Amino acid sequence: MKMSGAQMVCEAIIAEGVRTVFGYPGGAIMNVYDEIYKQNAFRHILTRHEQAAVHAADGYARSTGEVGVAMVTSGPGFTNAVTGLATAYMDSIPLVVISGQVPLSLIGTDGFQEVDAVGISRPCTKHNYLVRSIEDLPRILKEAFYIARSGRPGPVLVDIPKDITGEIGEFVYPESVDLPTYKPRYKGNDRQIKKAVEAILKAKKPLLYVGGGTVLSNAAEGVRAFAELTQIPAVETLMARGVMGARNPLLVGMVGMHGSYAANMAMSETDLIVSLGARFDDRVTGKLSEFARYADIIHIDIDPANIGKIVDVDYPIVGDVGTVVAKMTEMIRERVDPDRYSVWRDILKRYDELHPLGYEDSEEVIKPQWVIERLGERLGGDAIITSDVGQHQMWAAQFYPFDRPRQWINSGGLGTMGFGFPAAIGAKVGNPDKTVINVTGDGSILMNVQELVTAAQYGVPVINVILNNHFLGMVRQWQTFFYDKRYSETDLSFQPDWKALARACGGEGYDVESKEQFDEALDAAIASGKVCFLNVAVDRFENVLPMVPAGGALYNMLLEHKEK
Amino acid sequence: MEKVRRVISVIVANEAQVLARVSGLFAGRGYNIDSLTVAPIPDTQLSHMTIVTHGNRRVIEQIVKQLHKLIPAFKVIEHEQMVEKEMVLIKFPIESPIADIQALCTAYNGGIVNVGTDMLIAMAADEQQRIAHFIEAAKRYHPIEIVRSGVVAMER
Ligand SMILES: Cc1ncc(C[n+]2csc(CCOP(=O)(O)OP(=O)(O)O)c2C)c(N)n1
């Protein structure tokens, strides 16, 4: 069929089953927006900033497992989207971002709103395209979606010059993709899997190290079943919260810089790490030379480049976590003796009893951890929790009882402040029946605060719970611990009127200064059906603990902070 | 870990941006490029890149894997048994002892390839190590300009 390049973009979006696109128009992408105007097959949500459009598409993707789509114009529209691309890239989130570009004839002339989009985005996309001819467009669109969601997922940018979206060409959307240079491997090597299984059977203190890849691979059920069958304890990374389920007796806790004592000790003392879609991030390993000194390592990852990147691996297995774990389960089923690891489980239980994850509650002031626990009691497995970056993020990860994968959405890899709110909007759009809470800080929320307007306009009742410590809290914590309390540029005592701010944009706001008020405000916020700010005044100087100081050994945790 | 020299061939789809993807990968991840050559493979839609690099074992392994990960990368060969050649052009003043230079070139698979009014250009093609020796030897004739091609390699 003959149609314009702009129509092709819309047709591809429809053919891929995308229901919602987030974006922001401008000169170079106007042809596409004109076609969006004419169609009804998918919805477009106008965010108020391109960064937010990409984060919203990202939140949509993380919460639904589908590819998220965002659309931006050339030049500043694209550069605003870069943080969104980098955020998605670091966490392997499938996105297709379409950007307008100046007409082909102007490329390279420093034309108005020209920027080298493929050049800038190369290191923060899985792949990118500058479309040079209308004949290539259908194939490129198909490939973009395929590359975004297959293998190790990631964001793909398609940069389309304006004359190409305006040109008429023949449109046949390809049925399949033929990329001889790109063949992701899903099935692990059986011989390697067999060896890994033998190692597990021989180990005394094996540990499942569960990472975000298990979420991406939809492998949570299989991983839980494997743990259940073998009775091998598990630690979760920040990205994997929810995979094992908070009430799972085999879950030791979160591992890493702010992981639990027991989880970090488990990592330090295990004799066999079974890494499932995790990548030995420096926030997990701590000082490498001290990391898991007694352990052999089974590393299962769909991306071969992750294997052996940080640590030497004894049993490398390239493949999809879900597929490989299913195979391991089958091989081990008749042979495993779950009692074998009971001593090990007891050791970990004792570690947990020795230093359980906790905090000292107070009657005078609201403790931020209490807020998270209360949210958990009230909303539990139902809600989707997004977060920004800082102390609030770590408390949410530590204290919310995540029951299922895709319930917890945060920027773990890039650590992007400003991610949480737009991601929550995307998650709510993708899951209209779920309560969506963004746990945020008084610093982070201002980094995409304009999205109040978006959420109000489209009736997306996301609740922002601001753990307000009048500080850039996480940086303040490092200043307290490591910079002799020189609070350089972290004091946020000058505050907006949060209630008024939310209301001015069409939302609702609540100031919370006591536990009773919190419950009331949460009820009211949910009942309001509006986008909300819950401005919760919390203890200003609360610290996230335990903490492994950057570069320190994982087993050397600060468990409490004593004022000198 | 001990540093080693490695010659890596990358067969890539012959498309826009592909050289930038490869060089950007090296720059972004802090890998070394000692030399890089690229040219189309006849009668295909592919190009052959030869990259000489060095690093410890983990770095080399990462380079190979990260190259593989590039969508247009078709094949990555970490050479072990290879024939490698590099070419060098050297310009000398016309007063130089032509016969001596000719003899030197012959020893390194080369010859005099151009003689002008005030200069002459000599060429040699050989293994990288030997090219280094050739250049060392040529220095005695006060070369005006030296251009090396970088290594091309083929697995035996
Ligand atoms: C875009 C961006 N800029 C800077 C940082 C560095 N940073 C990490 S945490 C943090 C403080 C966050 O403060 P707030 O949102 O109030 O959360 P809190 O730590 O107080 O809970 C900063 C500035 C970042 N992660 N992202």
Side-chain angles (χ1 to χ4, degrees):
Chain A
M1 210 163 73
K2 292 256 183 241
M3 63 176 73
S4 70
Q7 267 176 299
M8 293 181 187
V9 171
C10 291
E11 288 301 324
I13 287 170
I14 295 165
E16 295 291 343
V18 177
R19 291 167 292 146
T20 308
V21 170
F22 303 86
Y24 208 103
I29 192 83
M30 279 183 71
N31 291 333
V32 179
Y33 272 85
D34 195 43
E35 288 305 323
I36 290 177
Y37 185 85
K38 294 179 199 160
Q39 60 80 45
N40 276 319
F42 63 87
R43 183 180 184 203
H44 179 279
I45 289 186
L46 176 73
T47 57
R48 294 314 197 256
H49 192 297
E50 288 89 351
Q51 181 190 350
V54 183
H55 289 331
D58 181 322
Y60 180 90
R62 292 185 203 229
S63 63
T64 61
E66 296 165 25
V67 178
V69 178
M71 204 170 284
V72 299
T73 192
S74 68
F78 164 76
T79 53
N80 273 348
V82 171
T83 302
L85 286 170
T87 302
Y89 181 68
M90 287 293 273
D91 290 343
S92 308
I93 305 304
L95 295 186
V96 171
V97 176
I98 313 266
S99 54
Q101 182 55 280
V102 301
L104 274 175
S105 56
L106 278 180
I107 288 181
T109 65
D110 304 316
F112 177 64
Q113 294 195 327
E114 179 188 1
V115 74
D116 175 7
V118 286
I120 289 175
S121 64
R122 209 175 287 127
C124 59
T125 50
K126 181 172 173 186
H127 195 53
N128 61 17
Y129 295 90
L130 169 61
V131 182
R132 285 160 194 279
S133 131
I134 184 102
E135 278 89 69
D136 296 337
L137 187 55
R139 172 185 59 81
I140 286 176
L141 290 165
K142 179 79 189 176
E143 284 178 10
F145 279 93
Y146 173 71
I147 290 172
R149 69 161 76 90
S150 59
R152 178 180 184 179
V156 178
L157 176 82
V158 183
D159 194 38
I160 316 179
K162 188 172 185 180
D163 44 350
I164 291 184
T165 50
E167 202 180 332
I168 303 291
E170 179 65 26
F171 182 76
V172 179
Y173 200 56
E175 292 273 309
S176 60
V177 168
D178 176 33
L179 278 166
T181 60
Y182 173 70
K183 304 265 183 233
R185 237 196 297 162
Y186 294 92
K187 196 176 159 298
N189 178 304
D190 279 350
R191 278 223 322 276
Q192 285 296 103
I193 298 176
K194 180 102 201 325
K195 279 192 211 154
V197 164
E198 295 303 325
I200 293 171
L201 291 169
K202 268 200 225 93
K204 292 201 175 76
K205 301 174 169 182
L207 184 68
L208 306 183
Y209 162 42
V210 181
T214 52
V215 178
L216 299 166
S217 145
N218 296 316
E221 223 173 291
V223 171
R224 281 189 201 189
F226 183 79
E228 174 72 21
L229 172 73
T230 56
Q231 291 294 303
I232 297 175
V235 296
E236 286 174 347
T237 67
L238 175 67
M239 299 309 293
R241 297 304 267 161
V243 169
M244 298 304 295
R247 281 161 306 192
N248 193 326
L250 291 165
L251 176 63
V252 185
M254 180 167 80
V255 69
M257 183 174 273
H258 293 296
S260 72
Y261 178 78
N264 286 345
M265 292 312 286
M267 247 333 193
S268 303
E269 296 189 356
T270 174
D271 65 356
L272 181 68
I273 293 175
V274 184
S275 174
L276 305 167
R279 59 183 176 85
F280 298 86
D281 183 88
D282 52 274
R283 285 295 191 261
V284 162
T285 62
K287 188 177 186 180
L288 263 181
S289 56
E290 295 296 311
F291 175 70
R293 274 184 303 177
Y294 313 107
D296 280 352
I297 297 179
I298 299 171
H299 193 167
I300 302 164
D301 203 302
I302 195 148
D303 179 1
N306 268 349
I307 298 176
K309 180 173 68 177
I310 309 289
V311 294
D312 285 330
V313 169
D314 305 275
Y315 306 92
I317 300 174
V318 178
D320 167 61
V321 183
T323 315
V324 173
V325 168
K327 188 78 199 173
M328 287 193 346
T329 307
E330 181 193 313
M331 285 184 184
I332 213 166
R333 184 177 303 277
E334 303 295 325
R335 302 181 53 204
V336 68
D337 168 20
D339 287 342
R340 182 178 173 85
Y341 317 120
S342 70
V343 176
W344 171 227
R345 290 193 298 270
D346 287 344
I347 294 173
L348 297 181
K349 198 168 295 153
R350 255 175 280 135
Y351 278 140
D352 196 46
E353 285 158 8
L354 189 61
H355 296 294
L357 192 65
Y359 65 98
E360 211 171 300
D361 205 1
S362 158
E363 292 313 312
E364 278 94 65
V365 53
I366 304 178
K367 291 287 183 176
Q369 300 93 327
W370 178 86
V371 177
I372 305 293
E373 277 187 346
R374 191 72 190 135
L375 274 176
E377 286 163 16
R378 294 289 312 277
L379 305 171
D382 261 359
I384 293 176
I385 309 293
T386 69
S387 92
D388 273 298
V389 175
Q391 294 183 307
H392 60 273
Q393 173 194 26
M394 291 302 130
W395 285 318
Q398 289 177 328
F399 289 98
Y400 196 93
F402 296 104
D403 265 343
R404 58 185 169 83
R406 302 195 186 278
Q407 189 187 5
W408 164 239
I409 291 173
N410 83 126
S411 165
L414 198 67
T416 307
M417 289 171 69
F419 171 79
F421 185 18
I425 292 174
K428 180 72 185 172
V429 167
N431 302 266
D433 303 337
K434 293 238 167 354
T435 302
V436 179
I437 307 279
N438 174 35
V439 174
T440 181
D442 50 323
S444 294
I445 188 62
L446 288 178
M447 284 206 180
N448 265 316
V449 77
Q450 77 286 343
E451 297 311 313
L452 274 168
V453 182
T454 311
Q457 179 192 335
Y458 291 93
V460 187
V462 163
I463 299 170
N464 292 281
V465 175
I466 305 170
L467 299 184
N468 192 338
N469 50 18
H470 289 51
F471 268 125
L472 295 173
M474 186 56 95
V475 183
R476 193 279 307 153
Q477 175 172 339
W478 284 50
Q479 288 169 333
T480 303
F481 286 6
F482 313 118
Y483 291 87
D484 277 334
K485 302 189 183 171
R486 287 184 299 278
Y487 296 131
S488 176
E489 304 299 324
T490 46
D491 191 316
L492 298 183
S493 291
F494 188 91
Q495 296 254 318
D497 178 338
W498 298 97
K499 227 156 102 172
L501 177 57
R503 287 186 180 161
C505 299
E508 195 46 82
Y510 307 88
D511 289 325
V512 173
E513 276 160 11
S514 69
K515 291 179 175 177
E516 297 73 45
Q517 281 177 355
F518 179 77
D519 276 339
E520 287 163 20
L522 184 63
D523 288 336
I526 293 172
S528 77
K530 289 185 180 176
V531 57
C532 290
F533 277 177
L534 249 69
N535 170 37
V536 187
V538 298
D539 190 347
R540 283 198 84 190
F541 286 94
E542 190 69 17
N543 295 313
V544 183
L545 294 167
M547 177 175 190
V548 180
L554 198 55
Y555 52 79
N556 270 337
M557 285 159 270
L558 302 174
L559 293 165
E560 52 180 0
H561 182 69
K562 283 269 178 287
E563 286 299 317
K564 278 173 261 172
Chain B
M1 271 185 270
E2 193 198 343
K3 287 211 163 124
V4 291
R5 171 184 185 267
R6 272 285 176 283
V7 182
I8 296 168
S9 283
V10 198
I11 314 300
V12 293
N14 194 356
E15 62 182 38
Q17 279 206 76
V18 66
L19 178 58
R21 288 190 205 283
V22 171
S23 60
L25 173 67
F26 276 75
R29 293 190 181 263
Y31 307 144
N32 303 295
I33 299 183
D34 298 332
S35 77
L36 186 158
T37 68
V38 54
I41 300 173
D43 307 320
T44 69
Q45 305 289 318
L46 302 169
S47 284
H48 187 130
M49 284 187 193
T50 313
I51 302 169
V52 182
T53 181
H54 64 270
N56 65 37
R57 182 183 50 75
R58 197 192 295 287
V59 166
I60 300 286
E61 187 183 317
Q62 270 296 304
I63 290 175
V64 170
K65 286 176 165 177
Q66 293 290 348
L67 283 168
H68 232 305
K69 230 171 113 169
L70 295 174
I71 306 285
F74 187 60
K75 210 167 156 187
V76 182
I77 305 155
E78 195 181 339
H79 287 295
E80 282 162 15
Q81 302 284 320
M82 64 182 157
V83 175
E84 61 164 304
K85 290 284 176 218
E86 177 169 13
M87 197 184 82
V88 62
L89 297 175
I90 305 187
K91 191 185 285 173
F92 297 99
I94 194 73
E95 304 80 38
S96 311
I98 294 188
D100 292 6
I101 291 173
Q102 174 73 52
L104 179 64
C105 292
T106 312
Y108 291 93
N109 276 320
I112 290 171
V113 291
N114 186 282
V115 180
T117 48
D118 51 2
M119 56 85 204
L120 63 89
I121 297 176
M123 181 277 286
D126 214 322
E127 277 159 32
Q128 195 169 38
Q129 191 58 46
R130 285 182 45 82
I131 289 296
H133 295 156
F134 172 72
I135 292 169
E136 220 23 66
K139 281 199 178 142
R140 145 169 28 123
Y141 306 111
H142 310 294
I144 302 166
E145 193 182 346
I146 303 175
V147 178
R148 296 176 70 156
S149 68
V151 170
V152 292
M154 195 179 265
E155 192 71 6
R156 281 197 267 148

